[in-house]
C-alpha cells in the first residue's frame, strides 16, 4: 500500500512548514517493526511541548517531522499484530512503549527502556525521543500496536466526541496525572500553575477527582477567563502581590493542599517583571504556597539542554530552585512524562459517558493541515485555544 504523505516539519527557530514526506513503513531505520501499524491520521494536536522545540529552546534538528498527539484509523497491520485490526479507530499514547521491559511491566510507559537508544522514554516527532517520525501528518507508523493503542469501542460515537477523545493522546491524561501525583482527592484545595491546555486539562481533572477548590494562575488574561468559564478561581500573576495574599480571600488560608506545575522551564516571573523568564519561578512558587506535607505534580517540562536560556547554568538545565523550602515542608515532587496508558481508558469512559467536557474546557479548535503553521503562531502568541489538526477533513465532514 502506498500513498503520498505530508507533514508539519520543523525548519528552525520560529519556523514550521507543511511538506511532502515519505509514506510510513513498518520500520525505524534498519529496525523492523512488524509489531506496528500504519494509521490514517484523524486528528493530531499541537502541544506546548512542540512549542519548546519550535521556539528554538531545545536541540531539535531542522527537518524533524513534528507531532506526538495522534488519533487515527488503522489501515495496515504488521505481521506480528494480533488484536488490533484495520478499520479500528484508536488513540495513540504519545509515549512509545515496548510492553516488554521492566518499566513497561510496572506501568511506567513514559520511561520504556527499549525504544530510545539515548535514554529511557520515547515519543513521536520529538527531540531526543528516539527518532520516531511525528504524526502531524496524513499517515504515521505506530510500533508495538497491540500494547500501545487504545481502541474506541464504536466508530460513530467516537467521531461524535472526537474533539474530546483527541485529547486522550496527551493533555487529558497528563493533566490528570499532574493532579494524581499532587495527591488531589475529594475536598482538596489545588493550585495549578499555567492556564495553557495542560493547565486547563489539569483543572478539569482536579474537578473530576473531587477537589473542593481549583485555582489557576497565569499572566494571560484570556486563558484565565477560559479557566473561569468552567468554575475555576483564577490568580492574575501580573499583579505585584505575594501569592499567599491572593489565596487568602479565596480559601481563608494562605496555602493549598496540592500544586501542579503545568508551565515548565520557560516559566516567567510574577508581578511587574512578568515578561521576564525565570525557569524555577513555578517550582519555587509551588513550594511557597503548598502546605507542609503536600505534594507537587510537575508535568511541566524541564530540559537537560536549553540553547536559548538566559545564562550558562540554565543552558545546562541548572535552575535556581529553592529546594530547602520544599525540604523544610516535607514536600514530595513528581516529575517526568505522563504514562498515558495508566489513565487513557478510564478518561475515555468519562468522555463517552459524558462525565466531563474536556474539549470545551481547553477550547478545542479544529484546523486543516495547511493551517498548522498559522496554528503554531497563534498558539505561540498565547491564544486560549487547543489546536487540533484534521489532515483528511474527517472531522470537518
Ligand atoms: P503552554 O505554553 O500553552 O502553557 C503554558 C502557560 O504557562 C502559558 O499560558 C504561560 O503564560 C503560563 N506561565 C508562564 N509562566 C508562568 C508562571 N510563572 N506561573 C503561571 N503560569 C505561567 O503549554 P501547554 O501545552 O499547556 O503545556 C504546559 C507544559 O506541559 C509544557 O512545558 C509542556 O511541554 C508540558 N507537557 C508535559 C507533558 C508530560 O508528559 N509531562 C505532556 C504534555 C505537555
Ligand atoms: Zn503534547
Ligand atoms: Zn518498555
Amino acid at each position: 500500500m502506498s500513498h503520498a504523505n505530508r507533514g508539519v516539519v520543523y525548519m528552525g527557530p520560529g519556523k514550521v512548514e507543511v511538506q511532502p514526506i515519505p509514506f510510513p513503513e513498518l520500520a525505524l531505520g534498519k529496525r523492523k517493526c512488524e509489531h506496528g501499524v500504519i494509521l490514517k491520521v484523524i486528528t493530531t494536536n499541537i502541544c506546548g511541548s512542540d512549542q519548546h522545540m519550535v521556539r528554538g529552546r531545545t536541540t531539535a534538528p531542522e527537518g524533524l517531522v513534528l507531532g506526538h498527539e495522534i488519533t487515527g484509523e488503522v489501515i495496515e497491520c504488521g505481521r506480528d499484530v494480533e488484536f488490533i485490526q484495520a478499520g479500528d479507530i484508536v488513540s495513540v499514547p504519545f509515549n512509545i512503549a515496548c510492553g516488554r521491559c521492566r518499566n513497561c511491566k510496572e506501568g511506567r510507559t513514559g520511561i520504556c527502556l527499549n525504544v530510545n537508544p539515548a535514554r529511557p522514554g520515547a515519543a513521536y516527532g520529538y527531540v531526543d525521543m528516539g527518532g520516531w517520525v511525528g504524526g502531524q501528518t496524513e499517515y504515521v507508523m505506530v510500533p508495538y500496536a497491540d500494547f500501545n493503542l487504545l481502541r474506541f469501542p464504536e466508530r460513530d460515537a467516537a467521531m461524535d466526541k472526537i474533539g474530546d477523545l483527541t485529547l486522550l493522546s496527551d493533555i487529558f491524561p497528563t493533566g490528570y496525572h499532574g493532579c494524581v501525583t499532587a495527591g488531589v482527592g475529594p475536598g482538596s484545595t489545588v493550585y495549578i500553575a499555567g492556564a495553557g491546555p495542560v493547565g486547563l486539562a489539569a483543572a478539569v481533572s482536579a474537578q473530576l477527582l473531587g477537589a473542593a477548590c481549583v485555582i489557576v494562575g497565569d499572566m494571560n488574561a484570556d486563558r484565565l477567563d477560559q479557566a473561569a468559564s468552567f468554575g475555576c478561581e483564577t490568580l492574575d500573576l501580573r499583579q505585584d502581590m505575594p501569592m499567599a495574599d491572593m489565596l487568602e480571600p479565596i480559601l481563608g488560608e494562605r496555602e493549598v493542599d496540592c500544586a501542579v506545575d503545568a508551565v515548565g522551564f520557560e516559566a516567567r516571573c510574577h508581578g511587574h517583571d512578568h515578561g521576564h523568564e525565570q525557569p524555577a519561578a513555578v517550582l519555587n512558587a509551588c513550594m511557597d504556597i503548598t502546605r507542609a506535607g503536600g505534594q507537587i505534580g510537575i508535568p511541566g517540562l524541564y530540559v537537560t539542554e536549553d540553547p536559548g536560556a538566559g545564562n550558562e547554568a540554565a543552558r545546562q538545565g541548572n535552575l535556581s530552585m529553592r529546594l530547602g523550602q520544599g525540604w523544610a515542608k516535607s514536600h514530595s515532587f513528581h516529575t517526568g512524562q505522563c504514562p498515558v496508558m495508566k489513565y487513557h481508558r478510564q478518561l475515555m469512559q468519562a468522555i463517552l459517558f459524558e462525565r466531563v467536557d474536556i474539549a470545551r474546557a481547553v477550547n478545542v479548535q479544529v484546523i486543516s493541515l495547511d493551517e498548522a503553521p498559522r496554528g503554531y503562531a497563534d498558539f505561540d502568541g498565547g491564544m486560549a485555544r487547543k489546536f487540533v489538526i484534521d489532515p483528511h477533513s474527517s472531522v470537518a465532514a
Side-chain angles (χ1 to χ4, degrees):
M1 192 177 315
S2 178
H3 301 67
N5 195 12
R6 295 190 310 146
V8 179
V9 180
Y10 172 62
M11 298 302 292
K15 200 154 172 231
V16 300
E17 278 176 15
V18 178
Q19 292 187 354
I21 59 167
F23 192 79
E25 289 174 19
L26 294 170
L28 175 64
K30 290 206 175 103
R31 180 174 183 174
K32 278 271 164 218
C33 293
E34 289 293 350
H35 41 68
V37 298
I38 308 291
L39 294 187
K40 178 178 175 186
V41 176
I42 295 174
T43 51
T44 174
N45 323 323
I46 300 173
C47 181
S49 300
D50 299 322
Q51 296 285 7
H52 297 308
M53 292 190 284
V54 173
R55 291 189 191 119
R57 297 301 296 271
T58 69
T59 51
E62 292 177 21
L64 182 76
V65 179
L66 298 167
H68 58 272
E69 302 193 4
I70 308 164
T71 305
E73 175 176 350
V74 177
I75 58 167
E76 185 186 340
C77 294
R79 191 193 58 208
D80 299 339
V81 176
E82 288 192 82
F83 307 111
I84 291 284
Q85 294 173 351
D88 287 347
I89 310 256
V90 293
S91 177
V92 185
F94 78 86
N95 331 98
I96 298 168
C98 74
R100 294 145 163 82
C101 74
R102 171 183 181 176
N103 286 343
C104 283
K105 286 177 180 178
E106 291 174 2
R108 309 199 60 187
T109 51
I111 40 172
C112 172
L113 300 173
N114 289 330
V115 283
N116 180 356
R119 57 162 88 167
Y124 306 85
Y126 213 86
V127 59
D128 294 334
M129 284 288 128
W132 303 89
V133 179
Q136 284 168 9
T137 56
E138 293 170 336
Y139 299 92
V140 68
M141 193 275 286
V142 171
Y144 303 105
D146 284 317
F147 183 64
N148 282 298
L149 293 176
L150 173 69
R151 181 190 356 224
F152 297 146
E154 209 261 317
R155 188 189 190 96
D156 290 345
M159 288 310 290
D160 256 12
K161 293 238 179 283
I162 199 74
D164 298 272
L165 296 170
T166 191
L167 306 173
L168 292 172
S169 57
D170 183 347
I171 64 164
F172 193 12
T174 295
Y176 194 84
H177 177 66
C179 288
V180 168
T181 56
V184 177
S188 302
T189 58
V190 187
Y191 173 66
I192 291 164
V198 172
L200 296 173
V204 169
S205 300
Q207 292 174 338
L208 198 58
L209 286 161
C213 184
V214 181
I215 305 168
V216 179
D218 203 304
M219 300 84 177
N220 177 320
D222 292 341
R223 289 182 165 193
L224 289 175
D225 286 347
Q226 186 61 30
S229 77
F230 60 95
C232 300
E233 300 286 342
T234 58
L235 303 188
D236 186 339
L237 301 173
R238 292 172 300 184
Q239 296 174 82
D240 247 326
M241 190 197 279
M243 282 177 76
D245 290 354
M246 298 189 222
L247 291 177
E248 197 158 10
I250 301 172
L251 294 174
E253 52 189 359
R254 300 172 65 77
E255 289 180 326
V256 290
D257 297 332
C258 315
V260 177
D261 172 354
V263 179
F265 72 102
E266 290 189 65
R268 284 168 293 127
C269 46
H270 303 174
H272 64 276
D273 234 6
H274 63 83
H276 238 81
E277 226 175 77
Q278 194 179 309
V282 171
L283 297 170
N284 288 333
C286 288
M287 291 188 278
D288 284 341
I289 61 157
T290 301
R291 75 180 177 93
Q295 294 170 217
I296 302 172
I298 311 176
L301 186 140
Y302 290 85
V303 289
T304 50
E305 271 106 19
D306 174 3
N311 62 62
E312 187 46 40
R315 277 193 275 282
Q316 311 298 323
N318 290 314
L319 312 181
S320 295
M321 201 179 155
R322 195 168 176 230
L323 189 63
Q325 170 80 317
W327 195 94
K329 293 167 94 174
S330 289
H331 284 154
S332 306
F333 301 86
H334 199 108
T335 62
Q337 282 188 24
C338 164
V340 168
M341 210 182 289
K342 217 175 214 164
Y343 308 103
H344 62 178
R345 179 177 304 279
Q346 304 90 296
L347 296 176
M348 171 187 78
Q349 293 294 69
I351 291 169
L352 292 174
F353 285 84
E354 302 191 328
R355 306 305 302 171
V356 66
D357 264 339
I358 184 75
R360 199 189 74 77
V362 304
N363 204 12
V364 161
Q365 182 178 348
V366 177
I367 59 175
S368 69
L369 186 59
D370 289 307
E371 288 168 322
R374 181 63 200 278
Y376 268 89
D378 287 347
F379 187 42
D380 188 43
M383 212 175 243
R385 300 232 167 107
K386 173 73 176 175
F387 289 100
V388 172
I389 301 168
D390 173 17
H392 297 277
S393 303
S394 5
V395 184

